[in-house]
Amino acid sequence: MSDPLTFVCWRWQPPVGYRSTFGPETVYSLREMVRRHYAPTHRFVCVTDEPELLPGIETVKLWDDFANVPSNIGHGYPSCYRRLKLFAPDAGATFGPRVVSIDLDVVVVGDMSPLFDRHEDFVIWGQSDFKTQAYNGSLWMLRTGTRTKVWTQFNPATSPKIAHQAGARGSDQGWMRYSLGPNEATWTRKDGVYSWRKHIAVAGGRLPPDARVIAWHGKDDPWGYKAQQIPWVKEHYPHVG
């Protein structure tokens, strides 16, 4: 039997002018979707700089490591290098033996068990806006204590530039791609993991019948007014908290 999962989400104050606002309610909404669509026993944890805003949620205080390292794409893009600490050799002491890092701007629409009932040490969503970037940090699973070089070999002064020069785009996802190479296990549309912008919006907005997780990476948010006019989004994205 596989070790139980810990779902880890992330909420910290974004830089002034960032394109999205992730209120505390987005954490409660994600927890509800995980409860609906993942039946096995699990933990749900939010790493946050404002734990006092999340009563009833298990929280871990956000660390300062790599807090001020900008994205290798440029100003205005997400900088998520802090999330690399899940690859630290001792991360399991805090988060347990298996973790799923999941973004707040996803909509879970189907059973997630088949996604995580796998035995690889690391699996990541294999979707990107860039031809040279094979991974997307919206969703990934890790057996803690493995792939530790992602953490131990990261140098905030040089690593983002090295990854960018090698064609690896984005902050944590870019470094994962550079550090681990292109051949890690991935989820794709065949597994039911879709991009709202790249796969669904361009096809008329219809929900694929085999969908499990829809990632809203980009400017649109599933809690936004336009998204909430779409019946399946309104049905599956709960407003709680």
Side-chain angles (χ1 to χ4, degrees):
M1 183 176 179
S2 297
D3 291 316
L5 283 181
T6 300
F7 289 86
V8 181
C9 67
W10 312 81
R11 182 186 179 272
W12 62 75
Q13 283 296 316
V16 175
Y18 187 65
R19 66 192 183 206
S20 294
T21 299
F22 298 88
E25 67 279 359
T26 63
V27 179
Y28 292 99
S29 296
L30 178 60
R31 184 179 67 172
E32 176 61 24
M33 288 187 286
V34 171
R35 283 176 171 173
R36 289 179 185 177
H37 297 293
Y38 188 73
T41 300
H42 61 275
R43 290 170 64 195
F44 182 92
V45 175
C46 182
V47 180
T48 179
D49 56 355
E50 296 181 313
E52 69 279 3
L53 298 184
L54 295 171
I57 298 283
E58 182 181 355
T59 60
V60 170
K61 184 65 175 177
L62 179 67
W63 43 83
D64 292 329
D65 306 75
F66 310 149
N68 298 314
V69 182
S71 171
N72 72 15
I73 301 177
H75 178 72
Y77 285 89
S79 175
C80 300
Y81 291 109
R82 282 181 276 197
R83 303 198 298 194
L84 296 177
K85 199 166 187 175
L86 283 187
F87 291 91
D90 61 351
T94 300
F95 295 101
R98 290 199 309 147
V99 297
V100 169
S101 175
I102 184 168
D103 278 2
L104 293 173
D105 54 355
V106 304
V107 180
V108 185
V109 299
D111 180 18
M112 293 192 291
S113 298
L115 299 177
F116 308 130
D117 187 18
R118 300 178 59 151
H119 301 290
E120 298 97 337
D121 289 334
F122 179 70
V123 189
I124 189 167
W125 184 31
Q127 170 64 40
S128 177
D129 293 331
F130 307 97
K131 292 181 179 179
T132 55
Q133 169 59 27
Y135 305 146
N136 190 301
S138 296
L139 185 70
W140 45 275
M141 178 172 67
L142 173 73
R143 182 169 295 281
T144 52
T146 70
R147 306 298 195 274
T148 55
K149 68 178 182 179
V150 174
W151 173 257
T152 60
Q153 296 182 6
F154 182 80
N155 183 325
T158 59
S159 294
K161 183 177 180 180
I162 291 171
H164 188 81
Q165 289 174 338
R169 299 291 187 259
S171 56
D172 57 334
Q173 69 184 23
W175 178 247
M176 283 187 271
R177 165 63 178 82
Y178 177 82
S179 178
L180 298 175
N183 298 318
E184 293 287 355
T186 60
W187 298 293
T188 68
R189 281 178 286 179
K190 293 180 180 179
D191 301 292
V193 184
Y194 286 82
S195 162
W196 159 252
R197 179 164 47 87
K198 301 283 284 188
H199 302 144
I200 299 177
V202 296
R206 293 180 297 275
L207 180 66
D210 62 346
R212 301 181 190 277
V213 176
I214 313 298
W216 291 63
H217 58 123
K219 295 181 180 180
D220 294 332
D221 296 316
W223 53 83
Y225 177 80
K226 285 179 60 178
Q228 286 296 307
Q229 306 312 300
I230 303 169
W232 65 262
V233 179
K234 187 173 183 178
E235 174 188 355
H236 289 285
Y237 187 84
H239 290 275
V240 294

